[in-house]
Amino acid sequence: KAKMQGKGKYLFYNPSMHEGIIERLKIESHLQNALTKNEFMLYFQPQYDLRNSKITGFESLIRWNSPELGFIPPDKFIKIAEDNHFIIPLGKWVLEKSCEFIKKVHEMGYKDCIISVNISVVQILEDDFTDIVVDAVKNYGIDPSYIELEITESVLMESFEIIINKLNKLKNMGFKIALDDFGQGYSSLSYLQALPINTLKIDKSFIDLIDAKKRKRSITDYIVILGRRLGLSIVAEGVETQEQMNYLKKFKCNKIQGYYFSKPLPLEEALKIIDKNKG
Ligand code: C2E
Ligand code: MG
Ligand code: MG
Ligand code: MG
């Protein structure tokens, strides 16, 4: 059997395709109830200022441990949740839990710490997206400047004007906006100026290319130079080695996030790491 895929393209059946469909259906059927059954957890990965190794904030990252399916990484279910719009209630939950967490951090006396929250384009396109974000910070009594919304370049593919308008509105209220996974995919440098962003997150694939032995400057330097010229804060993602860290320091990247410093942590551990970093 052949399935139509786009204009005149045929995709022929093979067993791995079948497995993929079954897996997707399984995930989809369990996803709907996972929120009410409390199966999601939010983890928090610290971001560090490269000048003094102080924690400047955390990125919240969702985790799903399904009793039926086991651990499912977000890369496997976020896309499905976007397709069936389950990302709307899920994304709202992520925002609320993120606010709850950063509130706790501030109450511990660590006042200049922000939380970065991944936002899907499907969420932004909902009519009440701005209200949902504003309600979340109001409910927890948090200043918008402590919330950074992480968007990816995929937002640029759809309804450009609507999205830019919504992001501008949020930025004017004080929310921060970060462009995530920069360099992966459709990056166009001209978009960088059109987007109301504060922060550029360099994709891990570029960080992986940093090689201490090579004399050649990596593409990362140019991204840092460009970002700084646009007045943006630069975060390097997926930093795993000391060499990478030293290199990024030398080229004046602002912040780093990666296993070299810390993996994403459950709430209690994240609060502990903050306490240690404070002293
Ligand atoms: P992302 O936003 O680019 O998040 C960074 C990913 O890199 C995370 O994967 C993080 O655990 C991983 N990472 C961080 N440092 C290192 C490192 O040093 N080495 C390696 N190998 N990996 C590192 P994770 O948690 O599996 O999330 C994958 C993606 O799923 C995220 O990429 C984001 O696009 C999406 N995602 C996660 N949580 C949410 C959420 O709450 N909402 C939405 N819409 N998307 C989410
Ligand atoms: Mg992110
Ligand atoms: Mg990223
Ligand atoms: Mg990513």
Side-chain angles (χ1 to χ4, degrees), residues 150-176:
E150 290 196 5
I151 56 163
T152 59
E153 288 159 311
S154 66
V155 304
L156 305 170
M157 305 299 288
E158 281 177 73
S159 318
F160 192 72
E161 296 280 311
I162 296 173
I163 286 168
I164 298 272
N165 286 341
K166 287 195 188 188
L167 294 178
N168 259 318
K169 197 172 161 197
L170 287 162
K171 199 186 172 199
N172 288 335
M173 291 183 217
F175 290 95
K176 294 187 168 74

Side-chain angles (χ1 to χ4, degrees), residues 27 69 79 84 137 148 161 166 182 213 230 234 254:
I27 291 175
L69 307 173
K79 181 75 183 68
N84 66 18
V137 295
E148 181 168 75
E161 296 280 311
K166 287 195 188 188
F182 180 72
K213 277 164 247 121
L230 293 170
I234 318 290
N254 302 88

Side-chain angles (χ1 to χ4, degrees), residues 59 118 150 152 180-182 201-204 237 257:
E59 175 176 8
N118 291 289
E150 290 196 5
T152 59
D180 201 357
D181 302 343
F182 180 72
K201 297 189 80 174
I202 306 174
D203 193 66
K204 184 182 187 307
E237 284 197 288
Q257 180 183 343

Side-chain angles (χ1 to χ4, degrees), residues 9-192:
K9 272 191 192 166
Y10 287 86
L11 197 67
F12 287 92
Y13 174 84
N14 66 51
S16 72
M17 202 176 106
H18 185 71
E19 269 168 40
I21 293 166
I22 300 273
E23 189 189 32
R24 198 189 152 92
L25 285 172
K26 273 189 190 162
I27 291 175
E28 198 160 8
S29 69
H30 287 98
L31 205 50
Q32 297 296 340
N33 293 319
L35 199 53
T36 45
K37 285 162 71 194
N38 256 317
E39 291 172 10
F40 294 105
M41 277 181 83
L42 212 52
Y43 272 45
F44 305 93
Q45 188 177 31
Q47 296 177 343
Y48 293 81
D49 185 327
L50 260 173
R51 288 168 308 178
N52 55 17
S53 302
K54 287 276 172 200
I55 292 174
T56 58
F58 290 83
E59 175 176 8
S60 59
L61 294 158
I62 197 161
R63 297 289 175 261
W64 180 25
N65 219 334
S66 159
E68 293 89 2
L69 307 173
F71 176 77
I72 318 275
D75 283 332
K76 279 219 168 127
F77 70 83
I78 292 290
K79 181 75 183 68
I80 297 171
E82 287 175 340
D83 290 347
N84 66 18
H85 280 230
F86 178 66
I87 196 73
I88 303 301
L90 187 62
K92 190 165 182 265
W93 180 85
V94 168
L95 261 165
E96 281 161 5
K97 287 286 160 190
S98 298
C99 288
E100 187 181 295
F101 169 75
I102 205 63
K103 176 106 186 151
K104 282 205 170 93
V105 170
H106 292 168
E107 281 168 357
M108 283 170 62
Y110 209 71
K111 296 273 198 270
D112 20 69
C113 195
I114 70 163
I115 186 80
S116 301
V117 186
N118 291 289
I119 303 287
S120 149
V121 63
V122 178
Q123 287 171 271
I124 306 178
L125 285 172
E126 284 287 289
D127 285 339
D128 58 354
F129 173 67
T130 313
D131 298 332
I132 284 172
V133 177
V134 171
D135 284 352
V137 295
K138 275 200 185 139
N139 287 342
Y140 288 92
I142 299 160
D143 191 272
S145 62
Y146 294 113
I147 310 285
E148 181 168 75
L149 306 169
E150 290 196 5
I151 56 163
T152 59
E153 288 159 311
S154 66
V155 304
L156 305 170
M157 305 299 288
E158 281 177 73
S159 318
F160 192 72
E161 296 280 311
I162 296 173
I163 286 168
I164 298 272
N165 286 341
K166 287 195 188 188
L167 294 178
N168 259 318
K169 197 172 161 197
L170 287 162
K171 199 186 172 199
N172 288 335
M173 291 183 217
F175 290 95
K176 294 187 168 74
I177 317 275
L179 186 58
D180 201 357
D181 302 343
F182 180 72
Q184 201 202 53
Y186 317 93
S187 6
S188 157
L189 297 179
S190 61
Y191 281 144
L192 267 186

